[in-house]
Amino acid sequence: MIRQGAGLWVWAFSLLLALSAWAQEGPASPPPDLPPEVFAIARELRCPVCQGESAAESNSGVAVEMRRLIAEMLREGKTREEIKAFFVDRYGEWILYEPPRRGITLWVWVLPVLGLALLGLGLFAYFRPKKPLPPELLEEAERRLKEPPA
């Protein structure tokens, strides 16, 4: 009974963690001086000087310059992939918020799924119903308990 209660708490805690991951603030609306396409592309690029912010969210000078360059390239008729390739050539693949699914970055995509699968297997193995002991073993254990100590 206590194990089932603990299992419910573990599942409730896991659900709470999953829901909190989705409760992120949405991106701010773009200012009127730049088209929304600029911010859509800038959201896929990291700010090189800020930690954890995209080029669309950051107010650093580098991010502002990146947005200006994106707007200029869009006016020149470059595609989204060409613009992202320009920044990858300049800063490396680190600049992409969504790294390509090949080479060493493939592990970024595989390890969370593998970790969740292992966690699920561990939780299943811990909380699965246990098999009852065979009656012969139970009778032997009861007989030994009833015997006086030698």
Side-chain angles (χ1 to χ4, degrees):
M1 185 69 172
I2 291 175
R3 276 183 85 162
Q4 288 179 342
L8 286 174
W9 278 107
V10 169
W11 284 110
F13 183 70
S14 299
L15 181 64
L16 184 65
L17 282 177
L19 290 176
S20 66
W22 286 327
Q24 295 181 355
E25 186 176 319
S29 63
D33 59 335
L34 292 175
E37 181 68 16
V38 170
F39 282 85
I41 295 171
R43 264 186 231 111
E44 298 175 13
L45 301 171
R46 291 180 196 274
C47 173
V49 294
C50 306
Q51 287 189 351
E53 285 187 305
S54 70
E57 298 165 338
S58 174
N59 289 324
S60 71
V62 175
V64 171
E65 180 64 16
M66 287 174 72
R67 291 192 298 260
R68 189 194 63 76
L69 280 172
I70 293 169
E72 188 177 304
M73 286 188 239
L74 283 174
R75 277 193 297 271
E76 292 171 0
K78 292 189 176 180
T79 64
R80 176 184 290 247
E81 284 72 30
E82 289 172 335
I83 295 170
K84 286 167 58 176
F86 169 79
F87 286 105
V88 168
D89 286 343
R90 182 173 274 185
Y91 295 103
E93 288 184 343
W94 170 87
I95 199 78
L96 298 174
Y97 252 116
E98 189 171 307
R101 295 177 181 144
R102 60 180 156 74
I104 193 76
T105 57
L106 181 64
W107 289 106
V108 173
W109 296 98
V110 171
L111 283 179
V113 174
L114 189 63
L116 284 176
L118 288 175
L119 177 68
L121 284 174
L123 287 173
F124 176 75
Y126 184 75
F127 290 112
R128 74 174 178 203
K130 304 293 181 208
K131 291 181 183 175
L133 290 174
E136 305 86 39
L137 286 177
L138 288 174
E139 290 172 7
E140 177 68 21
E142 284 179 14
R143 187 186 56 79
R144 286 187 180 178
L145 286 173
K146 289 179 183 174
E147 286 180 2

